[in-house]
Amino acid sequence: MSGEKTPLFDNNNANVNVSVKYSYSSSDPNAPPPDFSNMGVPPNMMPPQGPPQNMPPPGPPQGPPQGYQGVDPQQQQQEQDQLPSQNRPEEVVAPPSYSDYDIVGANRTAFQMPPMPNLSEQMVRDALVEKMDSKCCAGTKAAREMSLLEVTPNLVVVYRFHTYTERRLTRPAYSPFQGQHIDDASHGFPPQPWDLVVQTPPYFQQRKTLVKVPHTSSVVSCVDCRGSGRRRCHHCNSSGSQRCHHCHGSGRERIGEDTRVCCHCNGSGRHSCHRCNGSGSLVCDTCVGSGRLEMYTELVVNWTTHTSQHVCGEDALGLDPSLIIKAPSTLLLNEEGVRVAPLQNTPVPKIHVVSSRMSTEHERQWPAERILQQKHAVECVPLTKVSANWDNKTFTYWIYGVNGGVHAPDYPQAGCWCCNIL
């Protein structure tokens, strides 16, 4: 007698399927079958004793294949009958493993840095005058009469890394059942979430799509009205009538010093509810009066762009990096592909470490999302720092961006608070 246990691991679905094989032989054809109870075999996996009975007829296998993880509509129906409509769970589905892909930028050519900004004294002064002149109550006298103390030009490098991902999750959904065709499990096995073909939008555009998973529908009683098709009217507390607001429920209304029977409620003190027309109930909004719902599994697909940005702060000369990120710049490098290689051998060695770090973070940070496309860019922002003096007051301002934006937070003639230059 021999026994063999062979564990089979399915790395794609992270499930463990164990198949147990046993064989025995005996010279006596009338010998009883061996006892497997002492071999550590679970009772539910022991071979049958005696001759087989009630064998199914030959033919195609019934039910889902072994290892199948699709949606069971009956189980889904039982779970949803116990949950209110507003508390339905969502299940994030991990993407499949990646196949081979090309890495863009492995053989890139080095880009060239532009020349340093070279602004003359008149250009520096005119930039501040023009900015002050555009404000409602800022003075330009200080900009015209100031004495320039120091002008420092520089180039600030901005690195941006973008990753476009797709995320899929499933959740129970419903719609009113009004006699439409029901695509239940009898029409086939429900596909896995990542097996459904969904049209991908243009890269790096935020989108969200809802897809009805085939073969997951079933008809259940409405969970909000319990299959009646109507719900209670809260306006009249299901009584069908309300207190008359003309006589306040007394049945009589005052006319001058006299009273008479209220003509609005005919003396009853109540009138028919105008919301339910006196029926005490309203049509259920969930099932639209049918009393039944079509429950199905809904696939939610989200496309998201994850962005990381870095400014070489030591080159900003004290200017807020948030202003540099938004400033118009000169594009030095722009690469896009399924994957982009980190920067190497560029004129700006300080961004090599940043590029490698962002590439690693974007590869590992969203394990439940599938990476569709990546791109990164190197941009250059010209910057000039100016120190000046006017009326014994020293102040500093910056001229940045290819369009010559000005930032002067301590300008001596800024005027009212609304004219502070951001």
Side-chain angles (χ1 to χ4, degrees), residues 117-366:
N118 186 17
L119 302 181
S120 64
E121 179 179 341
Q122 188 62 37
M123 296 171 65
V124 169
R125 192 184 304 273
D126 291 343
L128 185 60
V129 171
E130 181 180 358
K131 196 66 177 182
M132 294 298 116
D133 195 41
S134 64
K135 302 301 176 181
C136 61
C137 54
T140 59
K141 183 178 180 180
R144 299 180 188 276
E145 298 179 356
M146 64 181 178
S147 300
L148 299 179
L149 302 180
E150 184 180 6
V151 179
T152 306
N154 204 356
L155 293 173
V156 183
V157 174
V158 179
Y159 180 69
R160 310 179 197 269
F161 197 101
H162 309 272
T163 298
Y164 190 63
T165 63
E166 179 181 351
R167 180 172 181 261
R168 296 191 177 192
L169 59 89
T170 58
R171 64 185 182 188
Y174 67 89
S175 62
F177 176 70
Q178 297 178 328
Q180 66 268 24
H181 170 71
I182 298 300
D183 184 14
D184 55 14
S186 64
H187 295 82
F189 298 125
Q192 297 293 329
W194 286 96
D195 292 338
L196 289 173
V197 179
V198 182
Q199 182 65 35
T200 304
Y203 289 146
F204 304 104
Q205 291 188 9
Q206 304 284 115
R207 293 288 177 83
K208 178 180 179 180
T209 299
L210 305 178
V211 180
K212 185 176 181 180
V213 180
H215 315 318
T216 60
S217 298
S218 62
V219 179
V220 298
S221 297
C222 179
V223 295
D224 290 337
C225 67
R226 300 183 182 275
S228 65
R230 302 188 67 84
R231 60 179 178 85
R232 63 180 302 181
C233 178
H234 296 283
H235 201 70
C236 64
N237 199 21
S238 299
S239 65
S241 63
Q242 296 176 293
R243 190 178 65 168
C244 178
H245 62 274
H246 292 280
C247 65
H248 304 287
S250 64
R252 302 187 67 85
E253 58 181 346
R254 181 177 295 276
I255 305 297
E257 296 181 357
D258 300 329
T259 61
R260 67 177 184 182
V261 175
C262 179
C263 62
H264 298 280
C265 63
N266 294 325
S268 65
R270 302 184 68 84
H271 62 83
S272 178
C273 177
H274 66 278
R275 292 290 299 274
C276 63
N277 295 325
S279 64
S281 63
L282 299 171
V283 175
C284 178
D285 297 330
T286 304
C287 64
V288 198
S290 66
R292 293 188 293 175
L293 298 174
E294 178 188 358
M295 298 294 301
Y296 57 90
T297 300
E298 185 175 60
L299 177 67
V300 183
V301 187
N302 291 281
W303 291 276
T304 308
T305 301
H306 302 281
T307 301
S308 299
Q309 303 177 110
H310 176 78
V311 178
C312 297
E314 62 274 13
D315 298 333
L317 303 178
L319 182 62
D320 188 355
S322 63
L323 298 176
I324 298 178
I325 287 178
K326 301 176 183 179
S329 58
T330 301
L331 183 62
L332 303 180
L333 175 69
N334 186 26
E335 294 177 339
E336 179 177 335
V338 180
R339 296 293 191 278
V340 291
L343 294 177
Q344 293 179 352
N345 302 323
T346 68
V348 191
K350 65 184 69 176
I351 65 174
H352 295 169
V353 177
V354 176
S355 176
S356 179
R357 174 176 56 83
M358 289 185 180
S359 177
T360 303
E361 290 177 352
H362 281 231
E363 189 72 26
R364 302 176 180 177
Q365 195 166 358
W366 306 280

Side-chain angles (χ1 to χ4, degrees), residues 58-119:
Q62 302 296 322
Q66 183 179 3
Y68 175 73
Q69 299 179 354
V71 179
D72 185 358
Q74 295 181 356
Q75 181 181 0
Q76 174 186 342
Q77 176 179 346
Q78 295 175 359
E79 295 175 354
Q80 293 307 314
D81 286 343
Q82 301 174 1
L83 292 176
S85 58
Q86 63 271 20
N87 294 328
R88 296 185 171 89
E90 294 182 348
E91 180 182 357
V92 179
V93 184
S97 58
Y98 295 101
S99 57
D100 295 336
Y101 50 81
D102 296 331
I103 299 180
V104 176
N107 299 316
R108 69 173 60 92
T109 58
F111 55 84
Q112 300 294 326
M113 293 291 293
M116 282 284 186
N118 186 17
L119 302 181

